[in-house]
Amino acid sequence: MSAATLSRTSGFGGLFAPARVQATVIQIATVVMFLAACAFIENFASASNISSILYAASTVGIAAVGLASVTISGNLFALSLGSTAAFASIVYIAASGWGVLPALAASVALGLVFGLLQGLVVGWLRCNAIISTIAAGSLIAGLATWVSDGRTVLAEGGPSWLGSGTLIPGVPWQAVLFLLIVIVGEVLMQRTRAGWELRLRGTNPDAAELAGLRVTRMVVLSYVLAGAGAAIAGALIAAQSGTGNLRVGADLDFSAIAAMLVGGVAIGGGRGRIIDVASGTLFLAVLTNILLVNNFAYEVQLMVKGLAVLVAVTAGALLARKKR
Amino acid sequence: MKTLAENPLLALRWLLLLGMAVIFTAANSYFPAAGNIFALGESFALLGLVALGLALTILAGEFDLSGGAMVAVSGLIMLKCGADNAVLGLLAALAFGGLVGLFNGIVTLKLGVSSLVTTLGVMILLSGFAVWLEGGQAINFENYDLTDAFNMDWFGVLSPRSVITIVLFVVTGLMLAFTRMGRDIIAAGSHRKAAGMAGADVRGAVVTTFVLSGLFAALAGALLAITLGRASSTFGANLLLQGASAAILGGVALSGGVGRPFGVAIGVLVLAVLNNGLGLIGASSPAILLLNGGVLLIAVLAGGAPATWLRARLA
Amino acid sequence: MNIIRSTFGALLAGSLLASASVAAEGAQAGKKVIFLGADDICEYCAVYNDQIRKLAAEKGIDLEVVTNKFDPAQQATQVDQAIAKRPDAILLWTIDGTALFPAMRKVQRADIPLLLTDVQPDKAREDLWVQYTGGNYEEQGSKSAQLLINALEAKGKPLEGGVIMITGIVGQAQTISMTKGFTETLADLAPNLEILGAQPGNWDTGTSTQAAAGLFTKYGDEIVGVYAAEDIMMQGVLIAAERAGLDPTEMAMVGGGCEPVGIKNIKAGLQYGTVLQSPVDEATYAVQSIVDLFNGAEMSKSVYVPHPMVTAENVDEVCQPWPTN
């Protein structure tokens, strides 16, 4: 653990400190790639295309922000996000008759409960984090199948403001919500005592315990946030399509993990910021969009995404080493 | 009660396995039938090889996420290169698996990053490669003689695949217990720095586990393709999570250095028996999901604080 | 939604309870049939599973339903299990078109009659089964192409310009057949309609939205028609079109399946049409196939459920709402 990991980095030099260099490189790469695409790809910069990038980024990004709290606090990752999102999509549509916000609240409540239960199993009962969340994923999917009978639920009436409304053309409300969640998450993680304890738990669990930090509470909190993030993602997907079913969120777990890692969050815990999760998500969303807009075959899209993860991590590791 | 006091997870696995066998036999008299044991062996063979490779990497303090995707790719290579000559196809699939494993190991060590990250990239890359190999066509295997040979049963219960898998479990177990490489692998997982200073070939050991993991997954995929007479980019999708569950259920600790192939075999059996039995009694989709989650939850609780508490009481 | 079920037992072994004593006529009554089908996670499959349980019980067939998480390897072992149970017949929904030939050969060697449903494997091997009942995916793709042409004609547009496709999961037998049927028929009937791009929508609305959005951005006004292999994916296309500021009523939007969301979109005028494939029909045909088998009726190798083309005009007659529990 270096001092740089914990102290807030500041100034230009800080951006390229070993612990921050991957995040900074990805942020620059995202901007460069975006500008280049605007210049060279026809219609890329159109409002409708920007909004489709933002829709894709918002759902994955919100789930990834929640997930990042688990990772940063030192529990690798959760594998229950996809099924939580699926269940939340069903709840959102079923409750959409009450209005957008109550339906969103109902989905989030579901995610909070599932997150809390997983947090208790991992944090309080000290159980294996990976298997606990695989087990939870299976249980949640089972419950969702039982409740929904496998049926797709359809929303009554037309699309809501949350599903298709925009603040200005090209910027959907879902992206605004994503931005808000990133800001709140960043402040929570970097400027509050809870965030500091969470990060310290990830850097060195034993030291954190010995130092008398509220370790259990922090771990529980991280899973609650992950559950809520996945549930919001599910609700947003449901709001977009007006449908909720068990297929929602099928790729969410690994998309969120990839976005977070590309952004520069360390899988081992302790290092990385919420803002990095956002940049990793945007990087992959812009890349995916460029490939889609050029009608590259599906296999090419997958291979480029795999390479992007490898290259981002390789570059991060090599640059960090050079700096040392 | 000594075993229970020492390792509740070990005892619990046996308890789960026996309990399920009793319940399923009571629920359906066909559970112990030879044909069903054969089917159980087939499930064991596929999941077992993937879980064994993954467990080796965890043992050495790493984690290979690419095994499931490798099953799809190697099956396609097997059938594309082995249409005329099956041995050639098998060798090509194994060579590819070994090379990807080598890549995983070397990149992870050279970069000094978590293998979760490198193998995630490789996993996505491999799934794209599988779709490319497939090229939008149905890839079938017309060599029905070979397929039949792989589907025959020995003594009614064993298949060539399950025998190969059991042999590899035994060989891997012996390798870990009695060879220098085995000791180095365990040392790399438990005290990597100290082991390196003490002269263990830590880097060689880590790379070896990745190569073995790639080889085992490729073998699983190639044998699956021969047995099914078909390969597809969709194969192996459920294997990663199941493999990780089986390994950890089998007593392999994510922190590295802890766990043995025999335990992994039991972990694989627990999952195989559970899903075999649920299929046999015709359980509904939600019941299958809930019971899979439930069994994992029981197993995971046995590794956590409740077990510590129990241990303290029994000691 | 069906939150409350009477007992957990019913959940565990719904099939066993469903087939309880119903006095039924015919030689099929009391026969033990194992149905190896798909998981409830897909809505179509869930409806099919419910229906076949109900219909089999009416005919007095002792039907055991075994589901599968779209995993051909698991299904091959389920076939082994089924053979071990020595049923009077096996009804198989092959999760993956052809992966099960070796398993089917085992069924044949065990002298158990094999019926197939929903997915028709390569007909060259039809000596392995008694009868296939269910959908004809190539015909569906072909009908969709016909429907897309009808749509353009109905809207008074020339048969030229670009078409995009949103397909199912790459590599699945259904996806391969539907794509083949669509592209071949389109090339035959309207050579001036060009397929500009195709992306998988993975039978999922969200994935289809993103895939269609990318294609709309690239090709925009060149696109005169969209084929989505399933209505739930067409829903994603419609969302993407709305975001791209394209008017779906001006384009030939063709889905598939007559699914609830498709019915809604057709009635709203957003989607021109769909091609029926009904889980209720398929389950009914499958049960009839079982009845015929045991009553010694003459059985042809392939019996297809009807795939009529559906537009706003006949949607109410043709597309029956899917029954719920």
Side-chain angles (χ1 to χ4, degrees):
Chain A
M1 150 187 52
S2 66
T5 346
L6 291 178
S7 67
R8 263 184 286 123
T9 46
S10 56
F12 187 73
L15 286 175
F16 291 95
R20 297 292 313 150
V21 68
Q22 186 189 342
T24 309
V25 166
I26 286 296
Q27 279 153 13
I28 294 170
T30 309
V31 173
V32 169
M33 188 166 65
F34 181 79
L35 293 177
C38 288
F40 296 114
I41 299 174
E42 216 183 327
N43 296 329
F44 179 86
S46 65
S48 69
N49 193 52
I50 301 295
S51 83
S52 87
I53 295 174
L54 290 176
Y55 272 114
S58 303
T59 46
V60 174
I62 290 170
V65 166
L67 175 66
S69 66
V70 169
T71 308
I72 292 174
S73 70
N75 278 316
L76 301 172
F77 43 73
L79 290 167
S80 53
L81 306 182
S83 30
T84 306
F87 204 158
S89 78
I90 293 165
V91 169
Y92 178 87
I93 296 296
S96 61
W98 304 338
V100 167
L101 291 178
L104 190 60
S107 323
V108 173
L110 182 89
L112 289 174
V113 171
F114 287 147
L116 178 68
L117 291 173
Q118 291 169 72
L120 289 175
V121 169
V122 176
W124 183 50
L125 296 178
R126 313 255 156 159
C127 292
N128 183 304
I130 302 284
I131 298 296
S132 301
T133 58
I134 295 179
S138 188
L139 289 169
I140 294 168
L143 282 175
T145 313
W146 190 23
V147 167
S148 72
D149 238 348
R151 303 295 203 272
T152 295
V153 279
L154 295 180
E156 303 292 326
S160 62
W161 60 267
L162 185 65
S164 58
T166 53
L167 171 68
I168 51 169
V171 183
W173 282 114
Q174 296 202 350
V176 177
L177 184 61
F178 176 38
L179 181 70
L180 281 177
I181 286 174
V182 169
I183 292 172
V184 171
E186 177 75 9
V187 170
L188 182 80
M189 202 64 95
Q190 303 298 130
R191 301 289 170 96
T192 66
R193 185 181 155 81
W196 177 75
E197 286 185 44
L198 225 135
R199 282 181 289 140
L200 195 60
R201 161 70 175 68
T203 314
N204 192 333
D206 296 335
E209 191 129 11
L210 287 175
L213 301 185
R214 303 166 293 177
V215 172
T216 304
R217 241 186 279 177
M218 287 310 114
V219 171
V220 174
L221 173 70
S222 71
Y223 280 94
V224 168
L225 293 175
I232 297 174
L236 294 189
I237 295 170
Q240 284 180 40
S241 63
T243 57
N245 63 35
L246 300 165
R247 285 257 174 78
V248 165
D251 307 325
L252 192 64
D253 285 297
F254 284 103
S255 304
I257 293 171
M260 178 183 80
L261 294 181
V262 166
V265 174
I267 191 77
R271 181 166 64 84
R273 297 169 55 162
I274 297 301
I275 194 97
D276 303 341
V277 180
S279 54
T281 309
L282 285 171
F283 176 84
L284 286 177
V286 171
L287 183 66
T288 308
N289 184 267
I290 291 175
L291 296 170
L292 269 175
V293 164
N294 285 299
N295 191 25
F296 277 108
Y298 181 61
E299 56 265 34
V300 178
Q301 295 175 32
L302 279 176
M303 287 194 269
V304 170
K305 259 187 255 180
L307 276 178
V309 173
L310 281 176
V311 169
V313 174
T314 309
L318 293 179
L319 288 169
R321 188 171 309 163
K322 223 177 217 173
K323 281 277 164 187
R324 275 196 194 109
Chain B
M1 294 307 276
K2 196 155 176 279
T3 2
L4 185 62
E6 274 169 5
N7 191 345
L9 188 57
L10 198 76
L12 185 89
R13 287 193 307 246
W14 284 108
L15 214 62
L16 273 175
L17 208 53
L18 282 174
M20 286 192 302
V22 169
I23 292 171
F24 287 136
T25 309
N28 192 309
S29 57
Y30 291 102
F31 182 76
N36 191 50
I37 303 295
F38 177 88
L40 191 61
E42 294 284 280
S43 313
F44 175 79
L46 179 61
L47 180 58
L49 283 176
V50 176
L52 181 61
L54 178 59
L56 279 174
T57 60
I58 304 178
L59 204 52
E62 302 290 341
F63 201 108
D64 185 359
L65 287 170
S66 64
M70 176 58 76
V71 167
V73 174
S74 65
L76 288 159
I77 293 179
M78 167 73 222
L79 297 199
K80 291 213 120 183
C81 300
D84 301 320
N85 185 342
V87 178
L88 195 71
L90 182 64
L91 288 178
L94 290 178
F96 183 78
L99 281 176
V100 171
L102 195 64
F103 176 84
N104 280 335
I106 291 177
V107 170
T108 302
L109 285 178
K110 282 270 175 217
L111 292 181
V113 296
S114 163
S115 48
L116 279 167
V117 185
T118 45
T119 56
L120 176 73
V122 170
M123 174 184 100
I124 303 173
L125 203 59
L126 283 177
S127 22
F129 187 55
V131 178
W132 180 77
L133 276 177
E134 187 175 41
Q137 303 291 314
I139 309 294
N140 297 315
F141 193 47
E142 302 294 340
N143 188 344
Y144 286 108
D145 292 337
L146 188 65
T147 296
D148 280 349
F150 268 85
N151 278 305
M152 70 181 175
D153 58 289
W154 290 329
F155 314 113
V157 291
L158 288 173
S159 70
R161 279 166 80 204
S162 55
V163 171
I164 291 172
T165 309
I166 292 168
V167 168
L168 284 174
F169 264 95
V170 172
V171 170
T172 311
L174 294 175
M175 186 266 285
L176 283 174
F178 296 113
T179 67
R180 189 185 155 83
M181 174 56 75
R183 284 195 297 277
D184 286 356
I185 289 174
I186 294 166
S190 31
H191 317 280
R192 187 169 292 184
K193 274 196 182 134
M197 281 187 258
D201 179 12
V202 169
R203 299 174 78 83
V206 170
V207 172
T208 304
T209 60
F210 277 108
V211 171
L212 287 176
S213 175
L215 282 173
F216 288 167
L219 181 63
L223 294 182
L224 179 69
I226 297 172
T227 318
L228 295 183
R230 162 122 163 92
S232 158
S233 59
T234 60
F235 285 10
N238 305 330
L239 282 177
L240 173 62
L241 291 193
Q242 284 183 347
S245 305
I248 296 172
L249 203 56
V252 177
L254 280 178
S255 47
V258 182
R260 294 296 175 266
F262 183 66
V264 177
I266 304 298
V268 173
L269 267 183
V270 169
L271 292 185
V273 167
L274 177 65
N275 287 297
N276 175 292
L278 290 176
L280 201 66
I281 62 171
S284 67
S285 300
I288 291 172
L289 286 164
L290 289 173
L291 287 170
N292 266 292
V295 164
L296 281 182
L297 193 65
I298 293 173
V300 89
L301 287 173
T308 320
W309 178 83
L310 200 66
R311 199 152 35 205
R313 283 298 173 91
L314 290 171
Chain C
M1 270 204 226
N2 189 349
I3 299 175
I4 303 150
R5 294 272 174 98
S6 50
T7 55
F8 189 71
L11 172 73
L12 240 178
S15 61
L16 300 178
L17 297 181
S19 58
S21 61
V22 177
E25 301 276 314
Q28 81 283 351
K31 293 285 185 194
K32 179 171 158 189
V33 178
I34 297 178
F35 168 48
L36 302 175
D39 192 85
D40 284 354
I41 202 157
C42 111
E43 184 179 23
Y44 185 92
C45 317
V47 176
Y48 183 106
N49 291 346
D50 286 345
Q51 282 300 304
I52 198 161
R53 283 192 176 108
K54 206 182 91 201
L55 295 169
E58 281 169 15
K59 298 279 182 196
I61 301 164
D62 176 11
L63 185 80
E64 184 178 322
V65 180
V66 178
T67 62
N68 178 295
K69 288 188 81 66
F70 303 94
D71 180 351
Q74 188 195 15
Q75 197 168 47
T77 65
Q78 288 174 338
V79 172
D80 287 330
Q81 283 188 318
I83 295 171
K85 288 200 250 180
R86 309 283 336 159
D88 296 305
I90 293 176
L91 174 66
L92 177 66
W93 171 325
T94 60
I95 287 300
D96 177 285
T98 50
L100 289 163
F101 286 150
M104 289 181 202
R105 283 158 66 96
K106 287 189 204 172
V107 178
Q108 196 176 43
R109 258 177 260 141
D111 236 357
I112 299 170
L114 178 65
L115 301 170
L116 300 183
T117 181
D118 189 78
V119 180
Q120 185 175 30
D122 189 350
K123 281 190 206 163
R125 308 288 304 160
E126 68 186 6
D127 56 307
L128 291 173
W129 56 88
V130 178
Q131 186 175 53
Y132 166 79
T133 56
N136 182 339
Y137 290 99
E138 206 173 315
E139 186 197 331
Q140 275 189 61
S142 170
K143 287 268 181 71
S144 302
Q146 177 67 57
L147 196 57
L148 193 139
I149 292 166
N150 293 355
L152 288 174
E153 282 168 348
K155 292 174 197 294
K157 308 223 173 228
L159 294 182
E160 55 187 36
V163 171
I164 60 171
M165 281 201 296
I166 304 294
T167 71
I169 292 176
V170 175
Q172 282 183 344
Q174 304 93 301
T175 303
I176 295 170
S177 300
M178 286 168 122
T179 306
K180 180 167 180 269
F182 181 81
T183 46
E184 286 180 1
T185 307
L186 198 71
D188 267 3
L189 299 181
N192 292 330
L193 283 173
E194 186 197 352
I195 296 177
L196 296 170
Q199 290 289 342
N202 295 353
W203 314 117
D204 172 63
T205 310
T207 314
S208 307
T209 311
Q210 284 176 39
L215 293 168
F216 282 142
T217 302
K218 176 154 175 81
Y219 299 109
D221 296 339
E222 293 172 54
I223 299 169
V224 297
V226 184
Y227 165 53
E230 193 187 6
D231 289 336
I232 199 159
M233 298 201 288
M234 177 46 74
Q235 166 79 355
V237 173
L238 293 172
I239 295 164
E242 190 204 308
R243 283 187 204 153
L246 297 167
D247 181 1
T249 59
E250 286 295 303
M251 289 192 275
M253 297 292 201
V254 176
C258 247
E259 294 177 336
V261 65
I263 298 174
K264 187 174 147 187
N265 286 331
I266 290 173
K267 286 186 176 170
L270 298 170
Q271 175 178 338
Y272 177 76
T274 187
V275 177
L276 175 74
Q277 178 175 346
S278 158
V280 180
D281 285 351
E282 271 206 329
T284 311
Y285 277 50
V287 169
Q288 187 58 45
S289 178
I290 297 172
V291 170
D292 288 350
L293 177 75
F294 291 117
N295 289 292
E298 199 166 307
M299 297 177 82
S300 58
K301 281 289 172 187
S302 312
V303 179
Y304 298 119
V305 295
H307 294 304
M309 293 185 266
V310 178
T311 61
E313 280 162 28
N314 61 352
V315 63
D316 279 325
E317 303 150 47
V318 179
C319 297
Q320 301 302 319
W322 288 356
T324 49
N325 261 4

